[in-house]
Amino acid sequence: MTDLPGSPPQSTLRGWLEAPGATSPGQARAQAAWRSWQRLVANKAALAGLIVLLALIFLAVFGPALTPYDPMAQNLSERLLPPSGAHPFGTDDLGRDIMTRILYGARITLMMAALVAVIAGPIGLIVGATAGYLGGWTDIVAMRVVDIFLSFPSLILALAFVAALGPGIENAVIAIALSAWPPIARLARAEALTVRKSDYIAAARIQGASRFRLILRHVMPVCLPSVVIRITLNMAGIILTAAGLGFLGLGAQPPSPEWGAMLASGRQFMLTSWWLAAIPGAAIMVVSLAFNLLGDGLRDVLDPRDD
Amino acid sequence: MTPAVEIRDLTITFGQGRARVKAVDSASFRAAPGEAFGIIGESGSGKSTILRAITGLNDDYTGDVLIDGQQAQKPRTKAFFKTVQMVFQDPYGSLHPRRMIRATLAEPLEIHRFDRKDDRIAQVLNDVGLAPEFAYRYPHQLSGGQRQRVAVARALLLEPRILLLDEPTSALDVSVQAGVLNLLDRLRRDRGLTYVMVSHDLRVIAHMCSRVAVMTQGRIVEELSADALRDQRAETEYTQQLIRASRGTAHA
């Protein structure tokens, strides 16, 4: 039993990653990550989604260096120009370059989506895992709160919060996060319920592990993959909600180049200058689609059941 | 001599009203220090339930659980777990699927603030017959027998004096069962451990234990020595049936 399978030469990085037995914690983690990566690459749609998102992040970071225009500077002599060499996506009703505004808007969109994920993900995970593991009154109270949140359509709920808090990007983020955590909590609870009676939780309990340690170190890691998948798939909805709030004038305020707000202001020129609405609309669609494809692929990568 | 493990009139009921079932009905036994005490019975006879009550995983019982003559506290203290550890039946379910073996083995050491964690992990892996590199595997990279050795290693890390074994080999291939049983036997002799071992397999119990309690429908119906069991000198009808059934499967 003590012998290890014969290890092939580990001189190359690939050999090191694919060696049958890891010899250090770092190598073991790298090998696990490598296997996940290979499963992701095997799913072409997911890879396409990932590439689109990476390109978007690149554009959001380096966008200002890629365009000579200012997203806010108005130039009425160049208003409503159709797409051309100087303005690949045309200009809007105030003469601003639409491509520049899309690039700056990508920052806002990604920032909002990331903030919502960072707020709603941990809240949902903590509430769900704790409720599912502890059960009893904790579970009943937490799940009834979730039920109440889930009984409103999320956009309506977000609208109500924004109406109470006042319009603006920060409030839109808070409003969307408040409506995004309950489904995640419910999902995490379902996962926690499946493992709370498992032998490995019982084994940890008889090592003397506290409830806090059990939830944090044993229950949450099991819930995490489905929560990450859910959030990735929800990203599309979050972006649409953010754009919807912008469109209704309750999210980002003009002259901010937020995509939903751009779509809203382009609406009145839709018949004469289609690019004003079509370009931000297409941007929203592409990003939402990319998140959906990636989320689908993550299901293959992160699902622990095939291990 | 004070028994290492003693249970007195242990009664455990599940469910309420008409669905109420007595899983264990006033069971009592004593296991002396250094002894291997076996509990045998068919599935559903309540033998695993007794082990879960002793560990406090289920502390909803009446009667007494005494460790070294001391009443075990409800809920169990951390000190209790340094004395009493348990190995579960299914090594595919008892190791956290997403944690490296090293993390699983480091956990009891962290909880009880032991020093020299890496040394202890390497030592205990060696004790159960695994190379130190196994610390850097995930459970899905291990065979059933290797997993059960890791589970035994985890139970040994806190240097307990009493080990509860819940069918430690029944989920394993016959070819690796003997290896794990011999390992457990050697560990008991080397370390002077007390075992309370549950099994439905008469041959496993007869091989490992010196005394055996026979359980059916939540009650201990007979207690006899392993020699008596091997020689088929059982007093109750149920135990004789069990022996006959076991011989039947041995010939099949």
Side-chain angles (χ1 to χ4, degrees), chain A residues 9 21 23 46-47 122 142-143 150 159 178-179 210 214 216 222 247 263 265 268-269 289 292 298 301:
Chain A
T23 52
L47 190 63
M143 285 306 111
L150 285 177
L159 274 177
L178 281 173
S179 62
S210 62
L214 284 169
L216 192 71
V222 179
F247 183 85
L263 186 61
S265 60
Q268 45 191 313
F269 302 97
L289 184 66
N292 273 334
L298 283 180
V301 177

Side-chain angles (χ1 to χ4, degrees), chain A residues 20-35:
Chain A
T23 52
S24 70
Q27 190 184 9
R29 280 189 205 98
Q31 287 187 344
W34 175 245
R35 282 191 297 273

Side-chain angles (χ1 to χ4, degrees), chain A residues 149 152-159 175 179-180 237 241:
Chain A
F149 274 93
F152 297 97
S154 64
L155 183 62
I156 306 290
L157 197 63
L159 274 177
S179 62
T241 308

